[in-house]
Amino acid sequence: MKNVYYFFTLTALVFAFPAIAQPDSITVLEEVFLVDTRLKDFSTGQTVIKISDSATKHTRPLLTSLLNFNTPIFFKENGNGMVSSLSF
């Protein structure tokens, strides 16, 4: 009897999890623009590196690759396009 109770409880849980899964709708996010209008005023004591547009065209797919090749920051990647950690 105890095994039957565990079986029905497990079966109910297996069928209940898809009911609380993520919705199928897609959330569209607004576009964000980053501007450097006041960067020179508030970056005293820090080195400001400007990356040219031609450099962004060569490493288009990944921001990690762009920053890894054009800045003194080293990024350790856990796979292509996955989580990265940085070192200075």
Side-chain angles (χ1 to χ4, degrees):
M1 184 67 180
K2 198 173 193 180
N3 289 338
V4 174
Y5 175 73
Y6 287 137
F7 175 75
F8 283 122
T9 304
L10 181 65
T11 305
L13 288 175
V14 166
F15 287 114
F17 280 127
I20 58 172
Q22 296 175 350
D24 291 336
S25 63
I26 298 173
T27 304
V28 179
L29 300 176
E30 296 179 20
E31 190 172 358
V32 176
F33 293 102
L34 299 176
V35 293
D36 61 347
T37 54
R38 302 189 69 181
L39 184 63
K40 291 287 183 186
D41 298 334
F42 295 104
S43 64
T44 56
Q46 298 292 324
T47 305
V48 178
I49 299 172
K50 185 174 181 178
I51 300 173
S52 65
D53 291 336
S54 62
T56 59
K57 291 178 184 176
H58 294 296
T59 57
R60 189 87 180 155
L62 298 174
L63 178 63
T64 305
S65 299
L66 175 70
L67 294 175
N68 205 9
F69 292 122
N70 296 305
T71 60
I73 302 171
F74 172 73
F75 288 89
K76 178 187 174 196
E77 297 183 54
N78 296 326
N80 194 9
M82 295 195 176
V83 177
S84 301
S85 59
L86 59 106
S87 299
F88 292 96

